[in-house]
Amino acid sequence: MKSRAYMLIGFFLSILLSLVPFSGNFTIAATPTATAPVPALSFTQGVQKTVLDNGLTVLTKEVHTAPVVSVQVWYKVGSRNEVKGENGISHQLEHLMFKGTTNRPVQFGRLFSALGSQFNAFTSYDETAYFGTVQRDRLEALLTLEADRMKNALINPEQLTSEKRVVISELQGYENSPEYRLNREVMRNAFPNRAYGLPVGGTKADVEKFTVEQVRNYYQKYYSPENATLVITGDFATEPVQKIVQETFGKLSPQAKQDKMPDEASKALDNLFLLTSSSVADASSATPANKKATIVLKQPGSAALLQALYPLPDLNHPDVPAIDVMDAVLTGGRSSRLYQALVESGLASSVGGSAVELIEPGWYEINATAAPGQQLSKIAQVLQESLTKLQEQPISAEELNRAKTQLQASYVLSNQDITSQANLLGYNQTVAGDYHFIEKYLAAIAKVTPAQIQKAAKTYLNPAKQTIGYFEPTQPDGQPGTSNAGSGRTVENFSPGKPVDPAELAKYLPPATSTTDSKKQSLPEEFTLNNGLRVLLLSDRNVPTINLSGQIDAGTEFDGNQKAGLANLTATNLMNGTQTKDALTLAKTLEDKGAGLGFSASREGVNITGEGLSANLPILIQTLADVLKNATFPAEQLELSRQRALTTLKVQLDDPSGLGRRIFQQAIYPENHPFHSFPTEESLKTITRDDLLSFYQTHYRPDTTTIALVGDFDPVKVKALLNQQFGKWEATGKPPIVQVPPVPLPQTSTQLNKVIPGKAEAVTYIGYNGISRKDKRFYAALVLNQILGGDTLASRLGTEVRDRQGLTYGIYSAFAAGINPGPFLIQMQTAPGDAQKAIASTVALLKQLREQGVTEAELNTAKRSITNSYPVDLANPSNVSSIILDNAVLGLSRAEIREFPQQIQAVTMAQMQQVIQDLIKPENLVIVTTGPGETVPKGG
């Protein structure tokens, strides 16, 4: 289940948009049942809608909880608007919108980064959207940039040629995924005569043929004020901002009406044809004799996959609320019908569903990954039995209440920040045609009855309307293909261009008003229970939600090679039963309230994540305490989780990113190092229930556990609750520790290549062991990384390897600095034939950095970029809980969350020069490339 799932293709330039909490009162109609109602919330209160003379729709919503604003421009154009031969042109244009304008012929990613914006863009079926979130004093600058590229984008041969290569790199990356390839075939068969049946990102064949004139015409046709919605949310005053909007966007001319009318008439005829030929035909009562044949893909891969698809009506159809509640009943969490029928039975490793409701009639899809040794035909049979039961028998009141609560709560939890709120407004205005849609929708959700769900199941889950596809891997053992390994430097000679001068860039930046005088970040309250459990609390009463982050010192560093996977199996089995509750009861306890709690093992600890509405904080804490103190690790659940872990392992070994990171990590850290171990089929199969119990009893202790809570609560009451639930949890003796020895750099550069059959795109990792978070050089290293590869559009690596040469869709660098030193690494994806050239370019850039250093302007711009975007991080309560936890676990002070910007600003040029000499070692690189076999030149 997804609260509203759509296929989004496009840039993911920042790691994820950081977002800001809502203010105000909300109104969701309460479900008329015994279930506690979701708090009253309003997603549109305070929204003002204006339409400029040129047709631009403007939605503004003041949210004064943080000094941050979000600006989004939604264009009503996506793959739905494409015709044969131009599949992917919407997506190609999205990429070109970052290449500059006639007024600002520079990479817009660099401009956004200089403003400290956390920005992104995506293309979908019905829309293309651009968004950025910044400190409030940069609002006018963002508006100026978005208005500029609405009409003045540079679409010339040079830009198109380089960005075509980038798009093809992106598409080839998708080809690495069996899920993507199966979905493409299922969609083509389900919608053979509709644009929705084509891949949103396009096809390589079409992209290669795009002409400048073709893309420019498409831009001029659809990127026009009357075809767009501008959304502004955050900390601003509406009236002066409306004046700025009028000055920036108001002067843009709409498309000439005579050009527009024929297209609209043509589109109306097309829609009429689609409705009569496809939708109406789909909605008719077909007989089983008309059922489509199963699509079967037999290709290199690891896990067996199933996808079933059923036609649905459009977003505004009155059946949509019942369909979405039906989806929650079927796939909403562990207690859902399909999880119980397929995953808990051991047939599937995972199952999920999504109702895709769009401007035109959409579809419902169900996806399942087979457990090892299970047949897809059996999964399809049990799936159909579950759907038939839903059609024949009304659901229970318990299921109905749970599904409604999950849907309602998901909208509250996913809109704790201003970027998400802007997203919701933009989507509903663009696709539903009315930003008020969300309130009508949730009111309708509250009224859905069992009879309506049964009717929806009968109408839309008819097996005669089903399109079903199987992916049957030809390498079911998940073993990688043959390998070519070699040592030595890359042979290509490459001379990088000069780094972009920030001073040259500055002349294209719109002016920003005075620096935001933000209030000092509140510091968490910290205390320790008598048993040693550390707690950090930060009350935020703006939204009725709770965000919980935690860590237990029970990570994979304790595994060892023989039992690799033990820490993660222990963590994932915590929710499988306690002394008083079985797995299903635990799941229902949380899912009945729309809350979530999860555990996963990372290298240095077990991560705890939890979220819920504030009224359900006691249930969240009680459940957390119960599983940490009283987990029982039932044998049958261990076997199911082992099978899922084996499936996950096969998928990782078949994925160039997953396999590449494993080889890279094991090349850096020797076999006896705690960071060397990764699960293998052998190690997973040898782990016993006694191993889990022993690991749990040894490592799960109050004095190695830290919990951070951010949200709507009374600290006094929370302290009492925590003492009540955790006070009697005891541990004896001292906690175990693991010795992490220092790791020297490799004496020479080493290059390793691993072939995975059936892949289209190569993934490369470059680096060596780095530094810890408490290393005194960390802040200088962070600034250095921002210059080198912190952003795939604004960094040196991005400018050279991606923007100038078009060799990769994305290239990033990072210092993985934890309690102990982790790797410094560069990651990129390339076409197989471009891998060596991209590696040579990257090595040359590292040498340039080492020999020439950075400029004062680069240093200052990088520091501003980091510090200006930091308030955006702090405006999201979920981010804040993670930051507070990380700082505590890493041994930093509570004040670090407030002092971080000052630490960055204090970095000097002398420190930068020293950290370059200490940490940039182009002669000592480990280089790992995984993917197709053609990445290594003959004789190379």
Side-chain angles (χ1 to χ4, degrees):
M1 185 201 83
K2 300 178 184 176
S3 58
R4 185 155 299 286
Y6 312 100
M7 183 164 182
L8 308 181
I9 301 264
F11 289 125
F12 292 93
L13 305 175
S14 28
I15 293 176
L16 272 181
L17 282 173
S18 296
L19 317 170
V20 184
F22 302 54
S23 66
N25 302 313
F26 299 77
T27 29
I28 293 181
T31 308
T33 68
T35 304
V38 173
L41 295 176
S42 171
F43 297 99
T44 62
Q45 183 176 357
V47 175
Q48 289 195 31
K49 176 184 176 182
T50 56
V51 180
L52 303 187
D53 291 343
N54 58 13
L56 178 70
T57 299
V58 182
L59 303 177
T60 58
K61 181 181 181 182
E62 296 185 26
V63 186
H64 300 290
T65 54
V68 173
V69 292
S70 185
V71 171
Q72 304 191 4
V73 181
W74 289 67
Y75 295 94
K76 193 174 181 178
V77 60
S79 61
R80 177 181 71 94
N81 303 88
E82 297 167 2
V83 298
K84 187 177 180 181
E86 63 176 26
N87 181 211
I89 195 169
S90 304
H91 177 222
Q92 179 71 72
L93 178 55
E94 176 217 323
H95 277 247
L96 288 167
M97 289 288 282
F98 285 86
K99 300 294 278 186
T101 65
T102 51
N103 299 324
R104 296 177 174 86
V106 292
Q107 168 56 253
F108 262 46
R110 298 190 70 88
L111 298 177
F112 291 135
S113 182
L115 291 172
S117 175
Q118 298 196 6
F119 63 99
N120 219 318
F122 69 80
T123 303
S124 190
Y125 296 100
D126 295 332
E127 75 279 7
T128 307
Y130 303 82
F131 36 107
T133 304
V134 291
Q135 289 189 80
R136 65 184 176 207
D137 56 301
R138 286 155 177 80
L139 172 58
E140 183 173 356
L142 267 192
L143 291 170
T144 301
L145 291 174
E146 289 296 353
D148 188 17
R149 66 176 175 174
M150 181 178 276
K151 280 294 181 184
N152 303 313
L154 277 177
I155 303 174
N156 293 329
E158 181 184 356
Q159 286 84 9
L160 180 58
T161 298
S162 69
E163 210 60 26
K164 271 187 186 182
R165 294 191 70 178
V166 171
V167 168
I168 289 170
S169 170
E170 180 183 358
L171 297 180
Q172 296 292 89
Y174 299 144
E175 291 291 331
N176 282 353
S177 164
E179 291 87 349
Y180 174 83
R181 302 201 300 271
L182 177 61
N183 173 260
R184 181 178 57 200
E185 292 306 310
V186 170
M187 290 293 290
R188 282 175 177 171
N189 278 268
F191 304 115
N193 301 310
R194 297 181 59 194
Y196 284 163
L198 300 173
V200 171
T203 63
K204 181 180 178 182
D206 278 3
V207 170
E208 286 176 333
K209 296 175 188 172
F210 290 154
T211 65
V212 169
E213 183 181 25
Q214 189 180 12
V215 179
R216 197 178 287 156
N217 288 342
Y218 198 80
Y219 169 65
Q220 292 168 351
K221 181 176 182 179
Y222 290 109
Y223 279 57
S224 190
E226 77 279 13
N227 198 45
T229 297
L230 169 66
V231 186
I232 309 168
T233 55
D235 190 20
F236 63 90
T238 300
E239 189 174 339
V241 165
Q242 286 178 333
K243 290 180 180 177
I244 297 170
V245 169
Q246 186 62 52
E247 293 167 1
T248 51
F249 286 89
K251 63 186 180 183
L252 303 178
S253 59
Q255 185 183 1
K257 287 186 178 180
Q258 60 268 29
D259 292 337
K260 190 76 176 176
M261 290 304 292
D263 176 66
E264 291 302 324
S266 173
K267 194 68 186 176
L269 287 172
D270 288 346
N271 289 344
L272 180 62
F273 169 79
L274 291 171
L275 286 168
T276 54
S277 67
S278 179
S279 309
V280 176
D282 286 338
S284 64
S285 298
T287 62
N290 296 330
K291 185 176 180 181
K292 296 179 182 177
T294 300
I295 301 158
V296 179
L297 292 186
K298 294 187 178 183
Q299 298 174 355
S302 53
L305 309 171
L306 175 149
Q307 182 174 79
L309 189 145
Y310 305 84
L312 288 184
D314 63 80
L315 181 59
N316 282 300
H317 193 282
D319 286 349
V320 161
I323 291 168
D324 287 359
V325 178
M326 175 188 77
D327 172 41
V329 170
L330 287 171
T331 65
R334 187 169 190 169
S335 63
S336 67
R337 291 195 174 193
L338 292 184
Y339 192 98
Q340 290 295 310
L342 296 173
V343 180
E344 291 289 358
S345 69
L347 285 173
S349 293
S350 64
V351 65
S354 178
V356 184
E357 296 132 346
L358 305 167
I359 289 177
E360 295 173 13
W363 60 92
Y364 182 60
E365 65 182 57
I366 298 171
N367 298 282
T369 301
Q374 297 295 336
Q375 296 299 312
L376 293 172
S377 57
K378 178 63 175 176
I379 293 174
Q381 177 191 333
V382 175
L383 168 62
Q384 186 54 53
E385 290 169 359
S386 299
L387 301 185
T388 300
K389 184 178 178 181
L390 187 63
Q391 293 167 336
E392 294 177 348
Q393 300 173 19
I395 66 168
S396 67
E398 178 190 6
E399 284 183 295
L400 179 67
N401 295 337
R402 184 185 306 124
K404 288 182 178 182
T405 302
Q406 285 181 334
L407 276 169
Q408 293 169 330
S410 72
Y411 275 94
V412 180
L413 292 167
S414 63
N415 283 279
Q416 296 184 74
D417 52 86
I418 64 161
T419 307
S420 293
Q421 293 174 65
N423 219 332
L424 189 67
L425 294 172
Y427 182 86
N428 287 333
Q429 183 64 37
T430 303
V431 179
D434 180 6
Y435 71 90
H436 286 293
F437 172 84
I438 181 61
E439 289 170 341
K440 302 171 188 174
Y441 168 81
L442 288 170
I445 289 288
K447 297 175 183 176
V448 169
T449 65
Q452 288 175 315
I453 293 173
Q454 192 175 5
K455 180 185 175 186
K458 288 179 178 178
T459 304
Y460 301 107
L461 301 181
N462 187 332
K465 302 177 190 176
Q466 179 195 70
T467 305
I468 190 167
Y470 296 169
F471 180 88
E472 297 180 353
T474 56
Q475 284 189 296
D477 60 356
Q479 294 299 312
T482 57
S483 83
N484 294 311
S487 296
R489 302 182 189 117
T490 53
V491 296
E492 291 85 347
N493 293 316
F494 175 78
S495 178
K498 289 182 64 177
V500 176
D501 182 4
E504 176 69 17
L505 189 76
K507 69 184 182 184
Y508 298 115
L509 277 170
T513 55
S514 59
T515 303
T516 300
D517 181 23
S518 57
K519 296 176 182 177
K520 286 193 173 181
Q521 167 66 34
S522 299
L523 299 183
E525 178 183 358
E526 181 175 358
F527 61 93
T528 303
L529 302 188
N530 292 335
N531 56 14
L533 189 148
R534 294 174 69 195
V535 180
L536 298 107
L537 300 178
L538 184 60
S539 181
D540 177 356
R541 310 310 286 264
N542 289 305
V543 192
T545 60
I546 297 296
N547 295 276
L548 182 152
S549 298
Q551 181 166 314
I552 307 164
D553 298 341
T556 62
E557 62 187 3
F558 289 104
D559 275 356
N561 292 320
Q562 299 306 310
K563 297 290 183 180
L566 175 58
N568 204 50
L569 269 181
T570 305
T572 55
N573 273 272
L574 288 172
M575 293 290 289
N576 282 337
T578 66
Q579 292 170 13
T580 58
K581 294 178 179 176
D582 62 15
L584 183 57
T585 304
L586 282 170
K588 287 181 177 179
T589 299
L590 296 171
E591 291 169 9
D592 282 349
K593 307 295 184 183
L597 181 64
F599 303 87
S600 63
S602 61
R603 191 60 68 179
E604 293 185 329
V606 168
N607 305 310
I608 308 169
T609 56
E611 64 175 6
L613 304 176
S614 51
N616 300 319
L617 175 60
I619 291 171
L620 199 60
I621 295 298
Q622 288 161 13
T623 305
L624 175 63
D626 190 19
V627 299
L628 291 184
K629 294 186 296 181
N630 306 313
T632 54
F633 303 98
E636 69 278 8
Q637 289 289 347
L638 169 58
E639 290 311 310
L640 290 174
S641 62
R642 188 199 313 276
Q643 294 304 309
R644 292 194 289 271
L646 287 167
T647 302
T648 299
L649 173 63
K650 287 185 176 184
V651 171
Q652 288 175 343
L653 293 177
D654 186 54
D655 172 40
S657 295
L659 179 62
R661 182 60 193 265
R662 173 184 291 232
I663 295 171
F664 175 75
Q665 188 98 2
Q666 293 187 326
I668 293 174
Y669 300 103
E671 192 169 343
N672 62 349
H673 195 280
F675 289 3
H676 181 90
S677 67
F678 280 85
T680 64
E681 185 175 348
E682 293 72 29
S683 71
L684 288 172
K685 287 182 175 178
T686 61
I687 294 170
T688 66
R689 179 173 179 269
D690 286 343
D691 291 329
L692 265 68
L693 283 167
S694 175
F695 192 89
Y696 173 67
Q697 292 160 358
T698 302
H699 296 282
Y700 282 69
R701 306 164 50 106
D703 53 354
T704 63
T705 300
T706 306
I707 296 171
L709 276 170
V710 175
D712 179 23
F713 56 76
D714 179 340
V716 175
K717 293 181 180 177
V718 171
K719 286 182 191 177
L721 176 65
L722 290 168
N723 271 298
Q724 177 190 21
Q725 294 298 320
F726 288 100
K728 294 182 181 179
W729 187 21
E730 296 179 353
T732 56
K734 293 185 178 181
I737 58 172
V738 63
Q739 296 296 329
V740 180
V743 176
L745 293 178
Q747 294 186 345
T748 60
S749 283
T750 302
Q751 191 162 359
L752 303 170
N753 300 282
K754 207 76 169 179
V755 176
I756 309 179
K759 300 305 172 185
E761 191 80 341
V763 174
T764 297
Y765 291 89
I766 301 174
Y768 36 71
N769 192 40
I771 59 173
S772 71
R773 174 61 177 85
K774 292 189 78 173
D775 191 299
K776 63 182 181 180
R777 300 167 295 181
F778 173 78
Y779 299 103
L782 202 58
V783 177
L784 171 63
N785 187 70
Q786 181 69 18
I787 295 169
L788 175 63
D791 184 309
T792 198
L793 293 186
S795 64
R796 284 194 180 188
L797 286 170
T799 297
E800 186 63 62
V801 184
R802 184 197 189 282
D803 220 33
R804 286 179 181 162
Q805 299 186 62
L807 294 177
T808 178
Y809 168 56
I811 183 167
Y812 297 92
S813 64
F815 286 91
I819 298 170
N820 297 290
F824 162 70
L825 72 162
I826 298 167
Q827 180 185 2
M828 58 183 160
Q829 70 172 60
T830 60
D834 289 338
Q836 294 305 312
K837 185 176 181 181
I839 290 168
S841 301
T842 300
V843 173
L845 282 164
L846 291 174
K847 290 179 178 178
Q848 182 190 59
L849 181 63
R850 170 97 180 172
E851 293 164 3
Q852 301 177 19
V854 301
T855 66
E856 196 81 39
E858 280 184 300
L859 172 64
N860 292 331
T861 298
K863 292 196 294 185
R864 280 197 303 270
S865 180
I866 295 170
T867 57
N868 288 344
S869 68
Y870 189 61
V872 181
D873 291 326
L874 298 182
N876 183 340
S878 178
N879 285 349
V880 172
S881 70
S882 297
I883 293 170
I884 289 172
L885 174 76
D886 290 345
N887 288 343
V889 168
L890 291 164
L892 305 171
S893 74
R894 286 186 305 125
E896 173 68 17
I897 192 170
R898 180 184 290 171
E899 295 171 354
F900 175 78
Q902 287 74 44
Q903 299 275 19
I904 294 294
Q905 286 293 358
V907 172
T908 65
M909 179 58 82
Q911 290 173 319
M912 182 62 59
Q913 291 168 339
Q914 186 60 53
V915 84
I916 290 171
Q917 295 307 307
D918 290 349
L919 302 180
I920 300 301
K921 306 287 186 180
E923 306 299 327
N924 306 97
L925 296 168
V926 172
I927 303 169
V928 173
T929 300
T930 51
E934 317 83 83
T935 57
V936 183
K938 290 181 180 179

